[in-house]
Amino acid sequence: MPRAAPARSGERLDPVRWRRPSRGMLLRLATATVLLITAAAVLWVEPSGCVPTAATPRSSSSATGEPSATPSGQSAARPIPPGSVGVPVRLADPTALTVVRPGNRVDLLRIDGDRDRPTPVASSALVLDVTGADDPVTGGLLLALTPAEADRAVSTPAQGFAILIRPG
């Protein structure tokens, strides 16, 4: 008959015994169950009163036409003025995003690789929003352009765009 190996000091091989859960444990289990069921119900049920739209402004302007400030201190996006279209633009030099704010007026220039001079696309375009100013790789501008300016901005591929910030 083989002999059992001697037990090391501090190791125990007592059988695990099942004990009734305490009140606190039952309360925690019930709370976790209720939260999981609530989360599943929220994901399962589709809201009936909401209608998805293609473009919804993040915030509305006040009665004076000024954008409302977000908790982070930056201005919120402005609504697109009548007769204009919103055009997202990625700049060739994304560091310019740090000095542009919604409400500024800019001149938009297309930078083409085959020419030495930039091509004017839009003048005095309203900046509606600045995205990703802290991350130049993903950042860009949302500009309010006339339909003709928007066609010029998106019609031919460019190496990027440059802006001239207008005073005021």
Side-chain angles (χ1 to χ4, degrees):
M1 171 173 216
R3 238 164 74 177
R8 295 185 194 149
S9 64
E11 288 188 33
R12 296 185 60 167
L13 298 176
D14 293 343
V16 176
R17 304 212 189 278
W18 186 82
R19 285 186 267 161
R20 254 184 132 171
S22 66
R23 267 191 195 162
M25 178 61 83
L26 288 175
L27 184 61
R28 286 191 293 271
L29 287 173
T31 304
T33 304
V34 167
L35 288 174
L36 286 172
I37 291 171
T38 303
V42 166
L43 290 174
W44 184 268
V45 176
E46 187 173 318
S48 60
C50 295
V51 178
T53 60
T56 305
R58 287 187 289 182
S59 68
S60 60
S61 296
S62 65
T64 61
E66 293 298 318
S68 59
T70 58
S72 65
Q74 295 181 348
S75 296
R78 290 177 169 250
I80 300 172
S84 298
V85 293
V87 178
V89 175
R90 199 168 289 249
L91 300 180
D93 182 15
T95 57
L97 295 173
T98 58
V99 295
V100 179
R101 301 284 176 257
N104 288 136
R105 293 277 179 175
V106 297
D107 292 339
L108 182 65
L109 306 169
R110 178 187 297 120
I111 300 174
D112 297 320
D114 56 343
R115 296 184 189 158
D116 292 337
R117 306 183 108 191
T119 307
V121 175
S123 77
S124 190
L126 177 65
V127 177
L128 300 173
D129 197 11
V130 179
T131 58
D134 53 340
D135 186 9
V137 175
T138 61
L141 293 176
L142 179 61
L143 301 176
L145 303 177
T146 64
E149 291 171 336
D151 285 340
R152 285 194 303 263
V154 299
S155 64
T156 58
Q159 289 185 345
F161 291 94
I163 56 169
L164 298 174
I165 303 171
R166 290 185 167 238

